[in-house]
Amino acid sequence: MSGNERVKEFTEFRERMNERILGQDNQVVRRFFALDTQTYRAGALDVKTKEMLGLVASLVLRCDDCISYHVAQCKEAGVNREEFFEVFSVGLVVGGSIVIPHLRRGVDFLDTLEAGEGDAAACADHA
């Protein structure tokens, strides 16, 4: 699967499933999604910082979907490659060597975005 196909598949799946999930009459789910969205808005911390924190947490929790999402959001927020690798290093130190396979996939996703094969903006809306 090409990088562009991977980004497209990831984005389309998220959008389709979010629509199905949010289409249900469940206030808990809707409120959680809204809380998640509000959390990453600028406040005392800017969006870039919050997305980098989200990426570290995603690495430590070893969630590949979340890692891909936050890589795209970080890129959209202006995180450069040197900053990405500092963020990756924090996640690796906190999470330990078990993070390495997820780090590989995160760097691969970043490489895809940087190569222009995928659209970081297309991955918008966290939950």
Side-chain angles (χ1 to χ4, degrees):
M1 176 182 316
S2 76
N4 189 36
E5 290 169 339
R6 179 177 171 211
V7 172
K8 183 179 178 189
E9 181 180 296
F10 173 76
T11 302
E12 287 176 353
F13 178 77
R14 283 183 67 260
E15 288 173 356
R16 183 176 68 251
M17 294 311 300
N18 283 355
E19 187 176 316
R20 285 192 61 210
I21 291 165
L22 292 172
Q24 297 299 302
D25 186 22
N26 187 301
Q27 284 296 350
V28 173
V29 171
R30 289 181 185 166
R31 287 178 178 162
F32 185 86
F33 273 56
L35 177 63
D36 182 78
T37 299
Q38 290 174 1
T39 299
Y40 287 92
R41 289 187 180 144
L45 297 175
D46 62 13
V47 171
K48 181 178 175 180
T49 301
K50 288 183 175 187
E51 289 299 340
M52 289 188 292
L53 291 168
L55 179 53
V56 167
S58 298
L59 285 162
V60 172
L61 293 170
R62 303 184 309 274
C63 175
D64 287 334
D65 280 0
C66 296
I67 292 166
S68 294
Y69 172 80
H70 286 291
V71 165
Q73 293 305 107
C74 282
K75 182 150 175 40
E76 186 71 21
V79 174
N80 65 42
R81 194 158 186 92
E82 184 178 356
E83 291 169 323
F84 267 111
F85 274 84
E86 287 195 17
V87 171
F88 293 152
S89 69
V90 172
L92 183 58
V93 166
V94 173
S97 63
I98 197 164
V99 169
I100 291 172
H102 305 279
L103 175 61
R104 288 181 187 124
R105 288 187 284 276
V107 171
D108 182 57
F109 198 79
L110 174 60
D111 289 345
T112 298
L113 293 174
E114 287 183 339
E117 295 180 31
D119 182 8
C123 295
D125 285 336
H126 183 259

